[in-house]
Amino acid sequence: MERERRRVVIIGGGVAGSLLAKSIQFNSDLTLIDEKEYFEIPWARWRAMVDPSFGERSVINHRDYLTNGRIVASSAIDITETEVLTAEGRLIPYDYLVIATGHTDSVPKTRTEMLNQYQTECEKINSARSILIVGGGPTGVELAGEIAVDFPDKLLTLVHNGPRLMEFIGIKAASKALNWLTSKKVEVKLGESVILNDDNDDDDEDNANGVKLFQTSRGESVKADCHFLCTGRPVASSWLRRTLLKSNLDKRGRLMVDENLRVKNRNNVFAIGDITDIPVMAAKNLKLIMDGEKESKLEKYEPRTPKAVMVSLGRKEAVAQFSFTTVSGSVPGMVKSKDLFVGRTRKKLGLQANATLID
């Protein structure tokens, strides 16, 4: 007789949660809980904002890759030793729980609504003469690159509160990105922040057809028809502070895990983030545990420095930082910027690289 499959509940349908769900759907009695009905490849969002058709491949209904599990389109609000409570009051039992909620992000619930949002953002960019981007991390730099290439006539300003762009990479890579942006006539203001208030709301009826005035921390004024906030987002863990896992959160709101990715002192609760190799390791360990294997066989996570960090600069160029050198231009652009790894990610989900999905 076939052994009864263990009940696994995954909370969060981002990169880590979706890839894990796809990997273990035939090894478990699986339930995926996600506020939205689809998986969005997050680093492809900026391309879809200037080219909405790109979103047809980067926004994927959960049901298209998860064919052997339940999908609950809701948020989790509480956890007990054996069940997860959703916002609709539904109790979902589990033997093993995986928390993969990532960072907070306000997005539509359905795929169609998300694609429509891309279209709206594109129309906003197209109709604007001047655009402000707040934040010079990878998100702000990549969005600026997409707009600068597809809409070269726009007056584009990027304001960043740090002393240089993208502090997470080396100075040389950041300088190459800065030089590329300025070559595209993007005005970059470093060491400044933007004071945002209700008067700067792009959706405000009084501002919809007029230029808005933004103030920086240095007292400078920046005029723009619309703006995009590209600063860091908090970890989506505030709800966990009201659950039995509240003592497992660190000061930044992150769940503390052991070397096997299990929440400390919780043998059947895992927590994973959106690091590329995390879902693969979590899937291996879950399968081993469900098969009754010894603890010693579990794979251990060892943080590693990425072999390469790439930031796209429009459709054809990028900056790439390796351990031995840093390069920019069309060569790294051929690796990342042309497709933004969308085809590769779709293949990991068992989907055709170039096919589009229909609701």
Side-chain angles (χ1 to χ4, degrees):
M1 291 180 61
E2 182 180 353
R3 187 177 69 250
E4 182 179 357
R5 292 188 300 172
R6 296 300 186 96
R7 299 168 298 181
V8 177
V9 173
I10 300 174
I11 303 176
V15 176
S18 295
L19 290 175
L20 176 61
K22 191 268 177 186
S23 298
I24 66 170
Q25 60 180 317
F26 295 105
N27 302 92
S28 63
D29 180 6
L30 179 65
T31 301
L32 174 67
I33 301 175
D34 191 25
E35 292 181 329
K36 55 192 185 338
E37 299 174 358
Y38 57 90
F39 163 56
E40 177 196 24
I41 300 175
W43 52 84
R45 181 182 296 184
W46 326 123
R47 177 71 51 80
M49 286 171 58
V50 300
D51 179 6
S53 65
F54 198 76
E56 294 287 344
R57 294 171 56 238
S58 64
V59 181
I60 303 162
N61 279 322
H62 288 311
R63 181 51 67 198
D64 288 298
Y65 69 88
L66 189 58
T67 59
N68 195 48
R70 288 174 293 276
I71 300 166
V72 178
S74 180
S75 57
I77 61 172
D78 199 6
I79 297 170
T80 71
E81 298 285 354
T82 57
E83 295 175 313
V84 177
L85 176 64
T86 70
E88 284 75 23
R90 183 174 175 180
L91 284 171
I92 302 174
Y94 68 87
D95 297 307
Y96 296 97
L97 175 64
V98 182
I99 298 173
T101 45
H103 294 78
T104 57
D105 197 5
S106 178
V107 294
K109 186 168 185 175
T110 70
R111 178 176 183 267
T112 298
E113 291 171 338
M114 188 71 246
L115 295 178
N116 288 340
Q117 180 171 302
Y118 289 152
Q119 187 65 47
T120 299
E121 299 286 22
C122 183
E123 291 171 358
K124 182 166 69 172
I125 293 170
N126 191 37
S127 62
R129 181 173 180 270
S130 53
I131 300 169
L132 169 65
I133 294 176
V134 182
T139 297
V141 170
E142 291 194 335
L143 177 58
E146 297 290 344
I147 297 175
V149 168
D150 277 34
F151 298 91
D153 59 325
K154 305 301 179 185
L155 300 176
L156 188 57
T157 303
L158 186 152
V159 180
H160 182 54
N161 62 3
R164 63 181 179 88
L165 297 174
M166 302 185 296
E167 288 96 333
F168 78 104
I169 61 175
I171 294 176
K172 190 173 182 180
S175 296
K176 285 181 177 294
L178 175 61
N179 291 338
W180 186 91
L181 288 173
T182 54
S183 74
K184 300 298 181 183
K185 300 182 180 180
V186 178
E187 183 179 5
V188 179
K189 294 178 178 291
L190 299 174
E192 299 185 58
S193 57
V194 176
I195 303 169
L196 296 174
N197 51 52
D198 293 340
D199 293 335
N200 302 132
D201 189 352
D202 292 337
D203 296 324
D204 192 299
E205 292 184 0
D206 294 332
N207 292 327
N209 298 310
V211 176
K212 292 167 281 295
L213 193 64
F214 298 83
Q215 299 293 328
T216 74
S217 55
R218 290 184 179 176
E220 297 183 17
S221 297
V222 178
K223 292 181 179 181
D225 297 312
C226 66
H227 77 285
F228 296 97
L229 185 62
C230 298
T231 54
R233 296 169 292 147
V235 178
S237 63
S238 59
W239 67 282
L240 289 172
R241 298 189 184 280
R242 300 183 296 274
T243 73
L244 53 77
L245 298 181
K246 59 184 178 183
S247 61
N248 297 101
L249 296 169
D250 66 13
K251 292 181 180 179
R252 295 184 179 181
R254 301 172 301 184
L255 278 169
M256 295 178 286
V257 299
D258 63 18
E259 58 189 4
N260 304 127
L261 301 182
R262 289 182 297 192
V263 175
K264 291 186 176 180
N265 302 317
R266 300 279 174 180
N267 289 334
N268 66 333
V269 181
F270 291 75
I272 58 176
D274 287 347
I275 302 173
T276 304
D277 55 348
I278 287 286
V280 175
M281 177 185 162
K284 289 180 180 178
N285 284 349
L286 269 170
K287 290 174 183 177
L288 288 171
I289 292 174
M290 288 187 289
D291 287 340
E293 296 289 349
K294 295 179 180 179
E295 293 274 323
S296 59
K297 290 191 175 183
L298 297 182
E299 189 170 332
K300 297 179 180 180
Y301 176 67
E302 297 179 2
R304 296 189 298 270
T305 301
K307 294 180 180 179
V309 177
M310 292 191 182
V311 177
S312 64
L313 300 172
R315 292 177 182 263
K316 296 182 179 180
E317 298 182 78
V319 58
Q321 176 180 287
F322 302 93
S323 59
F324 53 90
T325 189
T326 298
V327 296
S328 62
S330 59
V331 174
M334 290 175 63
V335 177
K336 179 180 181 181
S337 302
K338 182 178 180 180
D339 189 56
L340 299 176
F341 303 135
V342 169
R344 182 186 302 181
T345 305
R346 289 177 58 86
K347 286 182 178 179
K348 287 183 178 180
L349 292 172
L351 304 172
Q352 293 182 6
N354 296 316
T356 58
L357 303 178
I358 301 175
D359 292 313

